[in-house]
Amino acid sequence: MSQLQEKVVSLGKKERKINIFVLLFAILAISTLLTYILPAGEYTRIDADGRTTVDPNSFKWIKSAPVGLFDMIKAVHTGMVDAGNIIFFLLIIGGFFGVLRATGTVDGLIATMARKLSTREKLLIPVVMLVFAAGGSLMGMAEETLAYVPLVIPLALALGFDTITGTAIVIVGALSGFTTAIMNPFTVGIAQGVAELPMFSGMGYRLVLFVIVYLVSVLFVYRHAMKVKNNPSIGIYGKYTKEEASHLLQSSAKLTTRHKLILGAFLINYIVLAFGVIKFQWYITEIAALFVILTIVIGIIGKLSADHIVNSFTKGSASLISGALIIGVSRAILVILNEGHIVDPLLHQVSESIQNFPSYLSVAGMYSFQALIHFVLASGSGHAMLTMPIMAPLADLLHITRQTAVLSFSFADGIGNMIFPTATTLMASLAIAGIPWTKWAKWILPLVLIQYLIGLIAVITAHFIGYGPF
């Protein structure tokens, strides 16, 4: 988070930001207050095929259990302990990214592609967007893309496009993958863990959605880029000019044989991961161990010293500390709601109010709720930790598969990141490019609406096909 803020400040921007921790503590305080106001109740929890769910016919009202001020503060630590497996998983992923960046592989890959595509302008948008989309969908790449915004923008300008095209290639590309989340550990991985689904299950359907969303996003950006190429006066250039392009485009980074070996190891890692998840039902612990092994392997291939590997790993982990803490504080909110016994009454009231609706309307309502909550909680992992403990049992009560509930979350979470001013990665990217948020929002809104529609159709279809395994 601090790196994003430094980028914004360095560009002289005075962006007003919503501090996510202030917001979460405000929600924590409100949740505590609600334990004094709302009636308490509970469902009986039962074990069904190895997963915990609720007996939909067991709800009963109980004596109120308001949470005190000191108990509210204690809930922060309790929440972090409860979410410890997910928090440490994220820190390991962050450490892996730190070592991968230290090898120079990512820089070499992007710079080499930029040079090869500089004379093939029509391939730039689909090819480079596919790279970022794959990163977003397989690795949850989001903030990591910021380093490539100032690299792709001059390339876009040199080819006759504008700054908004270069920015969109990176941001829209990554977020189109982040939304469909084939194996995104920060959204689907966490949400499925909370919902007690097999890790990364349902990949086939999400792969189809990935292709659809990717193609729609590419066509949207490509259409704008071609219009600008034919009429440069309609372009949005931000703080860049075409005269700067040739200078900014220079990069000495190359994709060496060593980098190619590292990329090969990375690919093998994902093949092993997919096999382990499907064949042996690997979960967070096994996947984290796999990334630790991969980190050591790429460090050795990259000829990094032991100290360099460790230092790069700790720096990468440190970059995700704020995200890890967000998960813990978000979990604290659930701790308060559970201690006050007001979650089950909420589920009961919502299920009672919509149980007579057609099932597809219930799915649409769940999807809409996730889209609205994402405006104030733009952290994917925090969003998952806050809402999925409620959405998973609600899906059981409404006879909707938990996998559909997870899909509703991942789509609503990813799409909002492309337009909501509470999305820090987006705001930092716009600051780097010098593009006002109002201009970006006006430009991106049609694509956002199209993707929301695709998401709505996707979750309703998922419901009708019984998207599972459960």
Side-chain angles (χ1 to χ4, degrees):
M1 185 72 71
S2 60
Q3 291 179 345
L4 300 185
Q5 292 171 343
E6 288 172 4
K7 288 180 183 290
V8 174
V9 171
S10 67
L11 291 170
K13 299 293 182 182
K14 294 182 179 179
E15 300 285 352
R16 296 192 64 182
K17 295 183 176 294
I18 298 176
N19 187 292
I20 187 64
F21 289 102
V22 172
L23 177 62
L24 287 174
F25 272 100
I27 297 174
L28 187 67
I30 293 171
S31 300
T32 302
L33 181 62
L34 288 177
T35 65
Y36 288 86
I37 300 173
L38 299 179
E42 63 182 10
Y43 283 103
T44 299
R45 261 60 180 179
I46 58 175
D47 184 77
D49 299 324
R51 58 189 174 94
T52 303
T53 184
V54 297
D55 179 353
N57 300 313
S58 65
F59 181 79
K60 62 181 179 180
W61 297 102
I62 62 174
K63 183 179 179 181
S64 293
V67 177
L69 177 61
F70 189 58
D71 288 328
M72 181 188 78
I73 304 300
K74 285 165 50 180
V76 174
H77 179 264
T78 303
M80 291 182 181
V81 172
D82 289 350
N85 63 331
I86 297 174
I87 288 174
F88 285 108
F89 174 66
L90 293 187
L91 294 181
I92 287 173
I93 293 293
F96 159 73
F97 278 126
V99 176
L100 182 64
R101 283 193 292 267
T103 65
T105 303
V106 178
D107 290 337
L109 176 63
I110 296 296
T112 299
M113 288 186 60
R115 286 192 294 269
K116 289 183 178 295
L117 292 172
S118 61
T119 57
R120 303 173 185 177
E121 58 196 51
K122 292 185 178 180
L123 291 177
L124 172 70
I125 294 172
V127 172
V128 180
M129 283 186 70
L130 180 59
V131 172
F132 286 112
S137 199
L138 298 176
M139 301 182 294
M141 180 181 283
E143 292 184 1
E144 295 82 4
T145 63
L146 287 175
Y148 310 110
V149 172
L151 176 63
V152 177
I153 287 175
L155 176 59
L157 292 173
L159 297 178
F161 306 141
D162 61 350
T163 300
I164 209 167
T165 298
T167 305
I169 287 173
V170 179
I171 298 303
V172 176
L175 291 179
S176 65
F178 196 93
T179 296
T180 48
I182 298 172
M183 296 177 69
N184 185 342
F186 301 102
T187 56
V188 162
I190 291 175
Q192 288 183 332
V194 174
E196 299 181 293
L197 285 160
M199 183 66 78
F200 300 134
S201 56
M203 284 188 288
Y205 187 56
R206 293 197 300 278
L207 178 59
V208 173
L209 295 175
F210 171 86
V211 174
I212 294 172
V213 173
Y214 162 75
L215 290 175
V216 168
S217 300
V218 166
L219 288 173
F220 182 83
V221 176
Y222 187 86
R223 182 170 176 267
H224 170 79
M226 291 302 113
K227 284 183 176 180
V228 171
K229 189 169 182 65
N230 293 329
N231 183 9
S233 64
I234 67 173
I236 300 174
Y237 296 92
K239 75 181 187 71
Y240 287 83
T241 64
K242 287 184 67 65
E243 289 71 25
E244 296 175 305
S246 59
H247 173 69
L248 293 171
L249 189 56
Q250 302 302 316
S251 175
S252 59
K254 295 180 180 180
L255 193 61
T256 66
T257 300
R258 197 175 304 281
H259 294 155
K260 292 176 182 178
L261 291 174
I262 289 173
L263 290 174
F266 183 79
L267 178 61
I268 293 172
N269 175 77
Y270 265 100
I271 294 173
V272 174
L273 189 156
F275 179 78
V277 167
I278 295 170
K279 180 70 175 178
F280 302 110
Q281 288 77 50
W282 282 358
Y283 195 53
I284 287 179
T285 300
E286 291 80 6
I287 296 173
L290 197 60
F291 273 98
V292 171
I293 295 172
L294 178 62
T295 300
I296 296 172
V297 169
I298 66 174
I300 293 173
I301 295 175
K303 284 194 171 181
L304 303 181
S305 67
D307 284 345
H308 198 173
I309 293 174
V310 172
N311 291 336
S312 299
F313 187 91
T314 54
K315 286 180 180 178
S317 296
S319 69
L320 289 182
I321 283 292
S322 62
L325 293 175
I326 285 171
I327 292 175
V329 178
S330 296
R331 190 58 173 255
I333 295 170
L334 182 64
V335 170
I336 293 295
L337 296 178
N338 284 333
E339 288 184 355
H341 297 285
I342 60 176
V343 174
D344 285 3
L346 174 63
L347 296 175
H348 176 68
Q349 294 295 338
V350 172
S351 62
E352 286 288 308
S353 64
I354 65 176
Q355 65 181 348
N356 295 322
F357 289 177
S359 57
Y360 66 88
L361 290 181
S362 299
V363 174
M366 181 179 292
Y367 176 61
S368 301
F369 169 78
Q370 292 285 23
L372 289 173
I373 198 68
H374 186 66
F375 180 81
V376 295
L377 190 57
S379 164
S381 51
H383 183 179
M385 292 298 296
L386 182 63
T387 63
M388 286 312 301
I390 297 175
M391 291 295 105
L394 178 59
D396 293 340
L397 294 174
L398 298 175
H399 305 291
I400 297 169
T401 66
R402 291 190 176 191
Q403 195 74 274
T404 300
V406 170
L407 184 68
S408 298
F409 150 73
S410 66
F411 253 90
D413 175 82
I415 297 170
N417 287 330
M418 286 200 301
I419 192 169
F420 289 160
T422 49
T424 54
T425 300
L426 170 64
M427 297 307 289
S429 299
L430 296 182
I432 291 170
I435 300 172
W437 176 81
T438 50
K439 287 188 176 181
W440 172 269
K442 182 179 179 180
W443 179 79
I444 200 70
L445 181 60
L447 178 60
V448 169
L449 295 177
I450 291 171
Q451 289 199 8
Y452 272 132
L453 179 59
I454 292 172
L456 179 61
I457 295 172
V459 297
I460 292 176
T461 301
H463 173 63
F464 282 124
I465 66 175
Y467 183 41
F470 52 80

